[in-house]
Amino acid sequence: SQQGEEDPQALSIQEGENATMNCSYKTSINNLQWYRQNSGRGLVHLILIRSNEREKHSGRLRVTLDTSKKSSSLLITASRAADTASYFCATDAGQAGTALIFGKGTTLSVSS
Amino acid sequence: NAGVTQTPKFQVLKTGQSMTLQCAQDMNHEYMSWYRQDPGMGLRLIHYSVGAGITDQGEVPNGYNVSRSTTEDFPLRLLSAAPSQTSVYFCASSPRVVYNTGELFFGEGSRLTVL
């Protein structure tokens, strides 16, 4: 069963706009990660936020984590056409030595 | 470093045939895993390994076998291919296994079609 679920499933914006996608999960976690997948390629790690952190930044990316609501958001500021990709959240379900469980992803399309 | 290398990139099988998807990493990562990606389903974990000689099942292990005889290699075997195994398969590795504090490094995928 899916641990994380992204919302929305698809998002279309213009270059320069901000893109926000959300992830909800079911059980307690040690950390939450976000990945990007360009069409036909493997996933690439973007950012990791630990359960005791509330916000983290990396370049144009801002991730928040609310463990009380079991949710996270990924904000991409000043989007570019190159940001067009699918974005996935992944969680560890709080168990040491187990695998990351991925959501179904948000497909972001940035048009110029 | 090549990172995570998957072979073959494309494969067509007939129902009932067997094959092995190869995965190799040159980063000395202890943790390796296999996922399958299907439209609308996201990535689902098939098997994973926290070190040489240690493997465990993920969410969808039926019809697949794995072994981990070395740190570098983690092959995925399809015992008797079925059309339901048509998918894109991704191998991923990580340097850390405790509380999954490490990021996953993915290969480029192996696209399998079973007729």
Side-chain angles (χ1 to χ4, degrees), chain B residues 25-110:
Chain B
Q25 53 92 8
D26 60 359
M27 298 173 283
N28 201 32
H29 287 174
E30 290 191 46
Y31 181 92
M32 297 186 74
S33 56
W34 277 101
Y35 290 86
R36 60 177 288 174
Q37 185 175 33
D38 302 292
M41 298 294 292
L43 281 85
R44 291 183 292 170
L45 180 67
I46 304 172
H47 285 285
Y48 65 97
S49 168
V50 298
I54 306 170
T55 63
D56 207 345
Q57 296 181 350
E59 182 184 359
V60 288
N62 293 341
Y64 307 95
N65 271 359
V66 292
S67 60
R68 185 92 180 272
S69 57
T70 67
T71 299
E72 295 78 19
D73 300 299
F74 191 43
L76 178 71
R77 297 182 186 86
L78 281 70
L79 308 173
S80 178
S84 62
Q85 293 179 304
T86 293
S87 187
V88 181
Y89 293 85
F90 288 98
C91 179
S93 70
S94 174
R96 301 187 184 117
V97 299
V98 177
Y99 295 109
N100 295 294
T101 53
E103 65 182 90
L104 280 178
F105 293 77
F106 279 82
E108 288 298 301
S110 295

Side-chain angles (χ1 to χ4, degrees), chain A:
Chain A
S1 61
Q2 303 294 136
Q3 161 73 325
E5 294 288 342
E6 292 88 346
D7 172 67
Q9 290 185 348
L11 181 61
S12 293
I13 59 174
Q14 299 283 328
E15 266 192 329
E17 294 181 337
N18 295 341
T20 300
M21 49 206 87
N22 304 295
C23 170
S24 60
Y25 56 92
K26 298 175 183 175
T27 63
S28 62
I29 61 172
N30 293 299
N31 68 65
L32 184 144
Q33 302 182 32
W34 285 91
Y35 287 79
R36 183 187 74 216
Q37 183 181 33
N38 290 347
S39 180
R41 305 296 299 274
L43 280 75
V44 174
H45 180 265
L46 293 176
I47 196 165
L48 179 153
I49 185 167
R50 303 189 191 286
S51 60
N52 61 354
E53 298 175 313
R54 291 297 168 257
E55 187 170 312
K56 202 162 184 180
H57 296 256
S58 177
R60 294 185 294 112
L61 305 180
R62 172 178 170 253
V63 169
T64 61
L65 179 63
D66 187 335
T67 53
S68 66
K69 295 181 179 178
K70 292 186 171 59
S71 67
S72 174
S73 67
L74 170 67
L75 168 67
I76 304 174
T77 59
S79 296
R80 306 166 182 168
D83 294 326
T84 294
S86 293
Y87 293 82
F88 297 86
C89 69
T91 59
D92 60 10
Q95 295 176 305
T98 59
L100 284 181
I101 307 298
F102 286 80
K104 295 180 181 180
T106 292
T107 299
L108 173 65
S109 177
V110 182
S111 55
S112 56

